[in-house]
Amino acid sequence: MEIVKYPDRKDWKALTERATLDVTTLFDTVRGVLDDVRTQGDTALRKYEKLFDKVDLKELRVTPEEIQEAHALVPDELKQAILQAKQNIAAFHASQRFEGHKVQTAPGVTCWQKAVPIEKVGLYIPGGTAPLFSTVLMLAVPARIAGCREIVLCTPPNPEGKVHPAILYAADVAGVDCICKVGGSQAIAAMAYGTESVPKVYKIFGPGNQYVTAAKQWVSLREVAIDMPAGPSEVEVIADGNAHPEFIAADFLSQAEHGVDSQALLLTTEENIVPPVVEAIQKQLEALPRRDITEKALAHSRIIVLKDWAEVIDFTNLYAPEHLIIQTDNYQTLAEQVQNAGSIFMGPYTPESAGDYASGTNHTLPTNGYAHAYSGVNLDSFIKKMTFQEITPDGIAHLGDTIRTMAAHEHLDAHRNAVSVRLESLGKK
Amino acid sequence: MEIVKYPDRKDWKALTERATLDVTTLFDTVRGVLDDVRTQGDTALRKYEKLFDKVDLKELRVTPEEIQEAHALVPDELKQAILQAKQNIAAFHASQRFEGHKVQTAPGVTCWQKAVPIEKVGLYIPGGTAPLFSTVLMLAVPARIAGCREIVLCTPPNPEGKVHPAILYAADVAGVDCICKVGGSQAIAAMAYGTESVPKVYKIFGPGNQYVTAAKQWVSLREVAIDMPAGPSEVEVIADGNAHPEFIAADFLSQAEHGVDSQALLLTTEENIVPPVVEAIQKQLEALPRRDITEKALAHSRIIVLKDWAEVIDFTNLYAPEHLIIQTDNYQTLAEQVQNAGSIFMGPYTPESAGDYASGTNHTLPTNGYAHAYSGVNLDSFIKKMTFQEITPDGIAHLGDTIRTMAAHEHLDAHRNAVSVRLESLGKK
């Protein structure tokens, strides 16, 4: 963990560097898999599941019996938690519903937008030791609220050919239509192109390793939309002298445990809090099971002391953190000045883990500085806004010359003519 | 122009095929230019402007004097038209402003979204014979309404080193901050990486040839966001027996004149209208200056007769046209059933050219079936929605066990601990 005091502005850029991987270098690796799945469908999926997930699958789709079994296997305490989280996520995302209204932009010219769900969406949920049922909720609950007609979920099975019951339970209660036992870049290909077992979708969501990310990027160039480019997770904590060192340390570590590439930054104007925070981090770290991962992530994490709040805000807007936790007396004022961040956690009793699981906000957020231009996943991610317009005969008579003049100066005569034939039919020139 | 009557559903997919180019094959070509601009800045821009645009530029930025000159050169009639179009575009996009509201998802847990403008955006305007000042308005007007702080525009100069006055005039009245004389993939690189003269931006918008498109796709993999993947323009017209063959023909041709890859489809349930429409197309075509281009586009355009309106809607949703013009008695009913289209033009007096120029809707729309998943450019394209949350001590006491249970089952102990340290400080376990 690096501690930097009062850095010059010219050195700030270097302090915002993340550990990222250029997945474009993996395109050649994943394209073989993508092409195989596109041309050979389920046969290729079975081949790659055998190769990468060490499992020989007859049936690629999860059966209703397996879902019933999962309901019986998930402990009641976890079921209750999942249902509570689902309810809060649903409440927040339902509040984001878009209602367009008609606007008369000129006499007789009416324009409006309408939100229409993306018909078919695909969710990717990684495998590994931890079952990411929370991500199932974060993607499937808004998809259902948006009105997507078909929600497909792909996730790698374990070597016994099973999917973790908590993932199946969350997918079932969130309303996923079709769960397929496919992982890695072959899962992305399956949802992008469609196979006998896996329906083709129009947009793919969800986290994954570097091969999954490369495959998502590649298919997004032609076949499908994706949620956003992905990178390692990160948090920035802003704290003042009154912040609780234990809380800061806990938030720091809860980011660092995600993976060796994760990054945590602490920005403060008060150098006195640095020693107690460092001490609290050391103490809490000792009790953590994922200590190895966490220590590696701390190696490229930083505590940065700046001279005033204006510098803190400027640095934050430069870094554009995925998660931003503000634990200062003036947290409301500071939060209002942030221009670039994925999700902001305000005040001492708002840990990032609340938003990761259960407060209702989405945890799929822009990393790697993408918060400069991207929103996190929200209800908009599952819809598109179509525009409509209706023009009356009087409207085209009024607006016609404006259109014809512009078309003529862009040398687009047929565009001009499309107005002229209408004006002529109305007895105008 | 192909005329297809009552095709089988199994043949529909083939009838929705577009003439597209796989720009990923151009990545190797454009990467050399991108790398040069990234490492050599303005020097590389000058080199490529000499090579591709045959112009030796000292100053890459348009000067205030050149803008004044443009004001004098643009004819008054065109100025008035541009100002009228600007006003309508502003009215429609201003109506799209997002106001988030606070939602209490659980006791003591408050979540909300806030729209924040993307700080710096880049607009690309192609060169060529026709000055696309309408596209300047379509991109710069919403950017200004969204509140973007810096709007950069790149466009190739002519061999005299000048930019068309109508482009400069439109950019000036729309509020562009910085106009640079750079075109092609080097312009995309300049805005993605930044050079001495061209500011780095966070999102790039605008049309372009295949090299521009390939460059946009490539930089979107890491450096910046882009508006959407691009393809040739297209229109679908739906007409019944009462539709005016002259109007249909004019709309068909106004699409076809865009370029040799453009596509126009006519869907109808009434085969009697086919001969008069074909005749009107022939007649109007003869009078068009861009007849060569238009005829090539017509070669892959189609008139398709289907058996009922249900088939027309199903085909439309499969095709997902960029522009959809509905000229039928029941146009309102049909428009409501469309799920996949960029922009819909309703009724006989609503030509596509209205939306292309002056009704107020945006003309930057998803082509190539991307309307299945993408919106056209709208105010959302220039903002991101950040999420905020604030939890009270009672709120975390209420929600804490839900979070801790979920974190424990995902094996993320530090996430659980971030809640525990807070509950302990409140005297709870």
Side-chain angles (χ1 to χ4, degrees):
Chain A
M1 204 161 50
E2 193 185 0
I3 297 171
V4 186
K5 292 186 183 173
Y6 309 110
D8 259 21
R9 279 193 186 240
K10 67 173 171 46
D11 301 324
W12 285 13
K13 188 77 194 155
L15 294 171
T16 65
E17 293 294 319
R18 283 100 164 160
T20 57
L21 178 81
D22 182 359
V23 295
T24 62
T25 59
L26 298 175
F27 280 169
D28 289 339
T29 314
V30 297
R31 277 172 67 183
V33 176
L34 298 177
D35 287 344
D36 277 359
V37 174
R38 197 183 54 215
T39 54
Q40 296 159 43
D42 280 358
T43 308
L45 294 182
R46 287 202 182 84
K47 178 178 86 179
Y48 288 113
E49 281 308 308
K50 208 164 179 174
L51 187 66
F52 296 136
D53 291 326
K54 315 293 174 204
V55 56
D56 199 352
L57 293 170
K58 290 224 157 43
E59 181 56 65
L60 292 170
R61 288 202 185 200
V62 169
T63 63
E65 292 70 36
E66 287 175 296
I67 292 170
Q68 280 316 309
E69 204 175 277
H71 276 260
L73 287 171
V74 176
D76 280 343
E77 187 196 38
L78 180 56
K79 279 185 187 170
Q80 287 312 311
I82 286 175
L83 292 175
Q84 171 74 61
K86 182 198 156 196
Q87 185 180 312
N88 296 352
I89 296 164
F92 186 53
H93 289 79
S95 80
Q96 298 167 19
R97 281 208 184 89
F98 171 79
E99 288 297 332
H101 49 273
K102 295 191 174 184
V103 181
Q104 184 159 310
T105 54
V109 180
T110 310
C111 305
W112 66 100
Q113 292 179 299
K114 178 178 153 187
V116 180
I118 299 173
E119 212 178 319
K120 301 174 187 196
V121 296
L123 319 180
Y124 183 74
I125 303 296
T129 50
L132 296 182
F133 52 81
S134 63
T135 305
V136 176
L137 295 180
M138 292 294 174
L139 299 176
V141 171
R144 187 51 70 202
I145 288 171
C148 301
R149 275 199 229 159
E150 189 164 17
I151 306 173
V152 178
L153 187 153
C154 285
T155 191
N158 67 15
E160 286 75 48
K162 291 284 181 190
V163 173
H164 195 287
I167 286 185
L168 295 184
Y169 177 79
D172 192 43
V173 299
V176 170
D177 295 295
C178 165
I179 307 170
C180 301
K181 298 173 180 173
V182 194
S185 53
Q186 64 270 28
I188 303 305
M191 293 191 281
Y193 308 128
T195 72
E196 299 89 326
S197 296
V198 185
K200 182 214 171 356
V201 301
Y202 298 123
K203 189 167 183 178
I204 298 176
F205 296 78
N209 64 20
Q210 63 208 54
Y211 299 103
V212 168
T213 301
K216 275 177 70 185
Q217 294 249 29
W218 185 260
V219 297
S220 79
L221 296 173
R222 281 176 63 88
E223 279 76 16
V224 290
I226 62 171
D227 44 2
M228 70 187 84
S233 193
E234 64 208 21
V235 72
E236 178 191 311
V237 182
I238 299 176
D240 65 9
N242 292 330
H244 202 311
E246 290 272 328
F247 295 5
I248 300 170
D251 293 338
F252 229 65
L253 292 170
S254 72
Q255 189 58 43
E257 78 173 342
H258 269 299
V260 295
D261 287 335
S262 296
Q263 184 172 68
L265 297 190
L266 168 62
L267 300 194
T268 185
T269 55
E270 182 52 76
E271 44 175 311
N272 292 341
I273 70 163
V274 177
V277 166
V278 171
E279 194 184 326
I281 288 173
Q282 290 306 335
K283 201 187 98 205
Q284 290 181 21
L285 181 60
E286 281 163 25
L288 287 181
R290 288 164 77 100
R291 186 173 165 171
D292 276 5
I293 288 174
T294 311
E295 277 184 329
K296 282 182 186 142
L298 285 179
H300 41 84
S301 294
R302 300 181 184 110
I303 295 176
I304 303 170
V305 185
L306 295 168
K307 68 170 197 277
D308 55 28
W309 293 123
E311 282 203 351
V312 168
I313 289 297
D314 287 352
F315 190 99
T316 302
N317 286 330
L318 183 69
Y319 184 56
E322 180 192 13
H323 305 97
L324 174 63
I325 304 176
I326 312 182
Q327 297 181 38
T328 64
D329 289 344
N330 63 346
Y331 66 85
Q332 285 173 325
T333 316
L334 290 182
E336 274 166 29
Q337 298 172 54
V338 176
Q339 298 288 318
N340 301 320
S343 198
I344 302 185
F345 300 78
M346 295 170 59
Y349 291 97
T350 315
E352 188 206 303
S353 42
D356 286 341
Y357 288 113
S359 64
T361 59
N362 211 289
H363 77 198
T364 307
L365 295 165
T367 57
N368 194 31
Y370 292 124
H372 282 110
Y374 289 90
S375 310
V377 165
N378 63 82
L379 203 65
D380 290 347
S381 313
F382 299 92
I383 58 127
K384 54 249 163 60
K385 291 181 181 169
M386 292 174 6
T387 49
F388 293 74
Q389 62 200 286
E390 185 170 358
I391 304 180
T392 63
D394 278 356
I396 197 72
H398 175 89
L399 196 61
D401 278 338
T402 295
I403 301 167
R404 290 201 289 182
T405 301
M406 294 176 79
H409 280 89
E410 287 192 356
H411 310 319
L412 293 173
D413 289 82
H415 281 64
R416 185 171 61 162
N417 192 46
V419 175
S420 297
V421 293
R422 285 164 167 97
L423 293 185
E424 280 158 23
S425 87
L426 294 170
K428 297 175 201 287
K429 269 281 160 162
Chain B
M1 205 163 49
E2 194 185 359
I3 298 172
V4 186
K5 292 187 182 172
Y6 310 110
D8 258 20
R9 279 191 185 242
K10 66 173 173 43
D11 300 324
W12 285 12
K13 188 77 193 154
L15 294 171
T16 65
E17 293 294 321
R18 282 100 163 160
T20 59
L21 177 80
D22 182 358
V23 296
T24 62
T25 61
L26 298 175
F27 280 167
D28 289 341
T29 313
V30 297
R31 279 171 67 182
V33 176
L34 298 177
D35 287 344
D36 276 0
V37 174
R38 197 183 53 214
T39 54
Q40 296 160 43
D42 280 358
T43 308
L45 294 183
R46 287 200 183 84
K47 178 177 86 178
Y48 287 114
E49 281 307 310
K50 208 163 180 175
L51 186 67
F52 297 136
D53 292 325
K54 316 292 174 206
V55 56
D56 200 351
L57 294 170
K58 290 223 158 43
E59 181 56 65
L60 293 170
R61 288 201 186 202
V62 169
T63 64
E65 292 70 35
E66 288 175 295
I67 291 170
Q68 281 316 310
E69 205 175 276
H71 277 260
L73 287 171
V74 176
D76 281 342
E77 185 195 41
L78 180 56
K79 278 186 187 169
Q80 286 314 311
I82 286 175
L83 293 175
Q84 171 73 62
K86 183 199 157 200
Q87 185 179 312
N88 296 352
I89 296 164
F92 186 54
H93 289 80
S95 80
Q96 298 167 20
R97 281 208 185 90
F98 171 80
E99 288 297 332
H101 49 275
K102 295 191 175 184
V103 180
Q104 184 160 308
T105 53
V109 180
T110 308
C111 305
W112 66 100
Q113 291 179 299
K114 179 177 154 188
V116 181
I118 298 173
E119 213 178 318
K120 301 172 188 197
V121 296
L123 318 181
Y124 183 74
I125 303 295
T129 50
L132 296 182
F133 52 82
S134 63
T135 305
V136 176
L137 296 180
M138 291 295 174
L139 299 176
V141 171
R144 186 51 70 205
I145 288 171
C148 300
R149 276 199 230 160
E150 188 163 15
I151 305 174
V152 179
L153 187 152
C154 285
T155 191
N158 67 16
E160 286 75 49
K162 292 284 181 191
V163 173
H164 194 287
I167 287 183
L168 295 184
Y169 177 79
D172 192 44
V173 299
V176 170
D177 296 294
C178 165
I179 306 171
C180 301
K181 297 173 182 174
V182 195
S185 53
Q186 63 270 30
I188 303 305
M191 295 191 279
Y193 308 127
T195 73
E196 300 88 328
S197 295
V198 185
K200 182 213 168 2
V201 302
Y202 299 123
K203 190 168 183 176
I204 297 176
F205 296 79
N209 65 19
Q210 64 208 53
Y211 300 101
V212 168
T213 301
K216 276 176 69 184
Q217 293 250 29
W218 185 260
V219 298
S220 80
L221 296 173
R222 280 175 65 87
E223 279 77 15
V224 291
I226 62 171
D227 45 1
M228 69 187 86
S233 192
E234 65 207 19
V235 71
E236 178 190 311
V237 182
I238 298 176
D240 64 11
N242 292 330
H244 202 314
E246 289 274 326
F247 295 4
I248 300 170
D251 293 339
F252 228 64
L253 292 170
S254 72
Q255 188 57 44
E257 78 174 339
H258 268 299
V260 296
D261 287 335
S262 297
Q263 184 171 68
L265 296 189
L266 167 62
L267 300 193
T268 184
T269 56
E270 182 53 74
E271 44 176 310
N272 292 340
I273 70 164
V274 177
V277 167
V278 171
E279 195 184 324
I281 289 173
Q282 290 305 337
K283 200 188 98 206
Q284 290 181 21
L285 181 60
E286 280 163 28
L288 288 181
R290 287 164 77 100
R291 185 172 166 170
D292 276 5
I293 288 174
T294 311
E295 277 185 330
K296 281 182 187 142
L298 286 179
H300 41 83
S301 293
R302 299 181 186 110
I303 296 176
I304 303 170
V305 185
L306 295 168
K307 68 171 196 276
D308 54 30
W309 294 123
E311 281 204 352
V312 168
I313 289 297
D314 287 352
F315 189 99
T316 302
N317 286 330
L318 182 69
Y319 183 56
E322 180 191 14
H323 305 97
L324 174 63
I325 304 177
I326 312 183
Q327 298 182 37
T328 63
D329 290 343
N330 63 345
Y331 67 85
Q332 285 173 325
T333 316
L334 289 183
E336 275 167 28
Q337 297 172 56
V338 176
Q339 298 288 316
N340 301 319
S343 197
I344 301 184
F345 300 77
M346 294 169 61
Y349 291 97
T350 315
E352 190 204 303
S353 43
D356 286 340
Y357 287 111
S359 64
T361 59
N362 210 289
H363 78 198
T364 307
L365 295 166
T367 57
N368 195 30
Y370 292 124
H372 281 109
Y374 289 89
S375 310
V377 164
N378 63 82
L379 203 67
D380 290 348
S381 313
F382 298 91
I383 59 129
K384 54 250 163 60
K385 291 181 181 170
M386 293 174 6
T387 48
F388 293 75
Q389 61 201 286
E390 185 170 359
I391 304 180
T392 62
D394 278 356
I396 198 72
H398 174 90
L399 196 61
D401 279 337
T402 293
I403 302 166
R404 292 201 288 181
T405 300
M406 292 176 80
H409 279 89
E410 288 192 354
H411 310 317
L412 292 173
D413 289 82
H415 281 64
R416 186 171 60 165
N417 192 47
V419 174
S420 297
V421 293
R422 286 164 166 98
L423 294 184
E424 280 158 21
S425 87
L426 295 170
K428 299 175 198 287
K429 270 282 162 165

